[in-house]
Amino acid sequence: MARQNMFEFYAAVCREHEIQINPYIIQVLKDTTETDRSVTLKLTGNNRLTNVQRLSDDDVRALSECLRNNHSVSAGLDVRYNNITDEGVGHLVGLLQEDGSALRSLDLMFNNIQRDGAEVLAKSLQCNSTLLSLRLSGNKIGNRGAMHLAGVLQVNSTLKELQLADCDLDTQSVIAFAIVLKSNRALVSVDISRPLLFSHQEECAVHFSEMLVVNSSLVELHLGKMGMTNTGMERLTEGLRLNHSLRYLDLRCNRVTRDGVRLLAELLKQNQTLEIVDLSSNRIEDEGAGYLSEAIAWPGCALRELSVSSNNIRSEGLLSLARALTVNTTLNHLYIWGNHLEESVCQAFRELIASGRLPPEQTDVSAYEVDGRVFLAELFHSLRRNYYSTNGSGTNTSFTSDTSTDPLTDSTLPPHGESQQIVPLQSC
């Protein structure tokens, strides 16, 4: 089938199966024919600039049949924020099971996929050797669905990125992933944020600590919204001391305070690989910020990006961070909004930004002056959401700290360099 008439083939499939043609799919397929290289089809249902018709299971059936006849356009498929259910997943797995599959990335975030859909995906991955990235965040696959995916990771040696945030995982499935990662050497990025944990014994932190001791391939780990306390942080840092591969640690929206951060700061003085740490929406306060400042100023600190937004930090802690930046030469992203920004803090960060030490696009505040007083306004900037990623042809585009050309940032979010200045309500 010629690339130029792929949208016509899609229309023919719809007529054959008596499926109503989705104009959004037609338009995307028409646009795709303008390039001769492998691409990722972007059919996201949350496009704010265009009025789109979200994909249903019937739409996915027709699209899948179309793509099975045109491998060169199916290097990646991005169908986030649609109305795809378990039935739709059954149609999509045909792209993974066929011989010579060209699909490298599949993004199904925030659809209506549940346990059965996760099981079907897991079975298709048993014999698939091409898919590098699978994103299922926001689908309520539950514990049993997650257990199927954890099981297939014992067999699959190709998948490099797996996102399962906000999927209603529980303690059993979270621990299962930690155990599997002890032997899996392919996964580079894992996100299991916001599981449903009801125990206060920090079992998950213990198992992830044990995993980090023996895993030498994991680069990015998201453990946000897990209810982790200082006890969990203590266990996690024990494993991190013996780990030499992790570069991105996401601990946002937990219950870490100054004592937990003290342990992390001691780790940062010795660890030469950890480059990005997200501590936003914890409660480290001034003392915690002081511990981090000491680590940042420590000779040889490898940290490049840090977020401490919404941590109840006052002037003492924020000023210590500002002073640490004058000593440190590697940290070039710092996010502080949501703390107590008194005038002395505003002055200090205005000087950092004006001097070029803290680039405006690499922080979430901007200084302005009214009646001789300096204030800070919020910028819609934040840490990159992903450190590891693949492009449309399956090539790794990660491991760079140059955010001006950062290919890892979620395409639906503003890049680091966006200059839009807003002050929205803060949320976790």
Side-chain angles (χ1 to χ4, degrees), residues 197-369:
L197 306 178
F198 299 101
S199 171
H200 296 288
Q201 298 181 22
E202 306 279 10
E203 299 100 327
C204 295
V206 171
H207 282 274
F208 271 98
S209 176
E210 294 173 353
M211 176 274 292
L212 288 168
V213 172
V214 297
N215 185 292
S216 59
S217 58
L218 196 65
V219 171
E220 175 179 355
L221 181 60
H222 296 265
L223 299 175
K225 302 182 181 181
M226 295 190 68
M228 185 183 299
T229 65
N230 296 331
T231 301
M233 179 66 86
E234 181 179 4
R235 299 292 178 265
L236 197 64
T237 53
E238 290 173 358
L240 285 169
R241 287 193 189 97
L242 300 174
N243 181 278
H244 303 290
S245 64
L246 196 71
R247 300 189 185 185
Y248 188 147
L249 180 61
D250 176 8
L251 297 172
R252 60 192 171 89
C253 304
N254 278 292
R255 297 161 59 193
V256 179
T257 66
R258 60 186 183 184
D259 294 329
V261 170
R262 177 177 56 82
L263 299 168
L264 179 62
E266 291 300 318
L267 169 74
L268 291 173
K269 293 178 182 179
Q270 306 168 6
N271 188 291
Q272 297 298 307
T273 55
L274 199 56
E275 297 180 1
I276 307 174
V277 175
D278 191 348
L279 287 167
S280 56
S281 299
N282 281 278
R283 199 172 181 85
I284 70 172
E285 300 182 316
D286 284 343
E287 290 190 45
Y291 295 135
L292 286 175
S293 301
E294 184 180 337
I296 292 169
W298 195 265
C301 178
L303 197 64
R304 294 179 179 273
E305 303 181 26
L306 173 66
S307 176
V308 291
S309 59
S310 300
N311 265 278
N312 197 37
I313 307 173
R314 296 183 180 274
S315 296
E316 180 183 348
L318 292 171
L319 289 174
S320 67
L321 286 171
R323 287 192 295 269
L325 279 184
T326 62
V327 178
N328 178 285
T329 58
T330 58
L331 185 68
N332 50 25
H333 292 70
L334 181 59
Y335 303 92
I336 63 167
W337 183 261
N339 295 294
H340 300 275
L341 306 179
E342 298 175 7
E343 189 169 8
S344 57
V345 175
C346 299
Q347 288 275 12
F349 276 86
R350 181 175 71 168
E351 293 172 5
L352 287 172
I353 296 170
S355 66
R357 176 61 189 87
L358 188 60
E361 67 275 9
Q362 294 173 190
T363 184
D364 56 352
V365 292
S366 176
Y368 66 97
E369 187 172 337

Side-chain angles (χ1 to χ4, degrees), residues 67-112:
L67 293 179
R68 281 198 296 271
N69 288 273
N70 194 304
H71 294 170
S72 62
V73 194
S74 56
L77 183 59
D78 184 351
V79 287
R80 289 170 290 173
Y81 297 98
N82 283 291
N83 297 321
I84 302 171
T85 68
D86 295 343
E87 179 185 347
V89 172
H91 300 309
L92 283 173
V93 294
L95 297 173
L96 299 173
Q97 294 172 335
E98 64 176 1
D99 294 334
S101 171
L103 196 64
R104 299 292 183 267
S105 63
L106 179 59
D107 194 336
L108 293 164
M109 290 169 56
F110 294 96
N111 278 279
N112 298 318

